Amino acid sequence: MIESERDARPGSRTFVLSPNASLSGRQASYLMLGIALAMAIIAGGFALMGAWLVLPFSGAEWILLAYCFKLRLRSCRIREVITITETSVQLERGYGAPEQIYRFQRAWVALDWAESPIKGHPSRLSFRSHGKEIEIGRFLAEPERAVLASELRKILFDSK
């Protein structure tokens, strides 16, 4: 998902990039509770028939599933904020708060958009300057990445 806003200063713009996340944390909690209930009923039925060993394995399976959900939900919280001003391009990346900040001089930054040589693999969009290359929008869908590349190209290179 791409959100953009123009700043009051001419030639300045901010983009906020985030992955498409259709499942909220609350919905995931309800889903995990439902799955736990269904697994408990099934494992309890087997335990009543004498297969009591199903209970610990069912619990371990649910814990593994909950851990995987937690990892997936965390990866959906990543945000990338691209701020373009008259003199600089700044990329902030993090989960909830900026953890990595990259700054480039606008006059020297290059925007690379390389399509994958393998059909069906995602393209790669990155900023490059002075031997440093930072990939942006890795989590975006292919059409969103194309729109972002077009918008960035317009802002960075048409106004020079």
Side-chain angles (χ1 to χ4, degrees):
M1 179 184 322
I2 303 170
E3 299 171 24
S4 72
E5 62 183 53
R6 292 185 189 277
D7 294 343
R9 295 167 287 171
S12 300
R13 193 142 174 201
T14 302
F15 293 91
V16 179
L17 312 178
S18 61
N20 291 324
S22 59
L23 189 65
S24 70
R26 178 174 285 195
Q27 291 169 332
S29 298
Y30 289 141
L31 180 63
M32 289 307 300
L33 188 65
I35 290 172
L37 186 64
M39 290 175 76
I41 290 172
I42 293 170
F46 277 105
L48 289 176
M49 290 189 305
W52 59 269
L53 201 54
V54 171
L55 282 173
F57 283 103
S58 179
E61 185 179 6
W62 185 84
I63 289 171
L64 180 65
L65 184 64
Y67 179 71
C68 292
F69 257 83
K70 182 179 177 179
L71 289 179
R72 182 64 193 148
L73 287 173
R74 184 182 187 281
S75 71
C76 288
R77 287 189 5 231
I78 192 167
R79 298 285 181 270
E80 290 182 354
V81 179
I82 301 169
T83 306
I84 301 171
T85 64
E86 287 185 30
T87 58
S88 69
V89 176
Q90 178 174 300
L91 171 67
E92 298 171 310
R93 180 181 293 154
Y95 298 92
E99 297 170 2
Q100 300 168 324
I101 299 174
Y102 305 97
R103 288 186 181 93
F104 301 98
Q105 291 180 353
R106 184 173 174 169
W108 294 102
V109 72
L111 182 69
D112 285 339
W113 186 25
E115 294 194 23
S116 173
I118 303 169
K119 188 176 181 180
H121 282 230
S123 62
R124 180 180 164 90
L125 183 63
S126 59
F127 287 129
R128 185 171 40 84
S129 178
H130 294 94
K132 188 164 73 173
E133 184 173 359
I134 305 297
E135 185 174 2
I136 55 174
R138 190 177 327 166
F139 44 78
L140 294 175
E142 201 61 34
E144 290 176 323
R145 194 173 300 123
V147 168
L148 178 65
S150 172
E151 290 288 320
L152 289 174
R153 199 169 283 130
K154 263 192 257 177
I155 294 168
L156 289 173
F157 306 116
D158 289 349
S159 60
K160 284 186 179 177

